Amino acid sequence: MKVREGSCLCGTVRYTLKDEPQATVICHCTHCQKASGSAFSVNLLVREADYEQTGETKFLVDIGDSGTPSCRHFCGNCGSPVLTKASNLPGIVLVKAGTLDDKAGIRPQAEIYTDCAVAWHVSPEGTSRFTQAPPA
């Protein structure tokens, strides 16, 4: 078990992951594209009980491409997306991989909403690809 830490860009929001992520998933949905300001979002699926945070986040309740609500948490100071709580994944938080202090050993196992992926994206070798989200 490796304890991992991370933060938003300005450091106002910091967190500790007390256990390794359950999985790392690239999401290509249009809402993750807009929320990340990039072509996709890399998310660490972490048990909520293994996530500890200092500093307050603001959040937006978003009805994404799946039709289910997600609560997107971000730093109110610098705007960095930090995590998402998806209603269809109770007990799990989706931590934004880019906020980790040390990304060593993080490798995506799956990609979802690949039907929305940009044409130039090359999938990492060995990832499972789903045109939508797999059943929870």
Side-chain angles (χ1 to χ4, degrees), residues 23-108:
T24 302
V25 177
I26 297 172
C27 183
H28 296 278
C29 81
T30 59
H31 288 240
C32 278
Q33 289 173 5
K34 287 182 184 257
S36 69
S38 186
F40 50 82
S41 178
V42 182
N43 301 287
L44 309 171
L45 279 69
V46 176
R47 284 187 301 264
E48 195 164 8
D50 292 333
Y51 178 86
E52 289 183 354
Q53 177 181 301
T54 58
E56 295 294 318
T57 55
K58 292 187 175 188
F59 66 89
L60 168 74
V61 177
D62 176 36
I63 306 298
D65 290 343
S66 68
T68 60
S70 293
C71 194
R72 296 179 179 274
H73 290 256
F74 57 94
C75 174
N77 189 48
C78 69
S80 295
V82 178
L83 68 97
T84 299
K85 294 181 182 181
S87 63
N88 61 337
L89 296 171
I92 299 289
V93 292
L94 307 171
V95 178
K96 304 305 177 185
T99 63
L100 284 171
D101 293 340
D102 178 5
K103 296 162 198 66
I106 297 298
R107 180 163 175 73

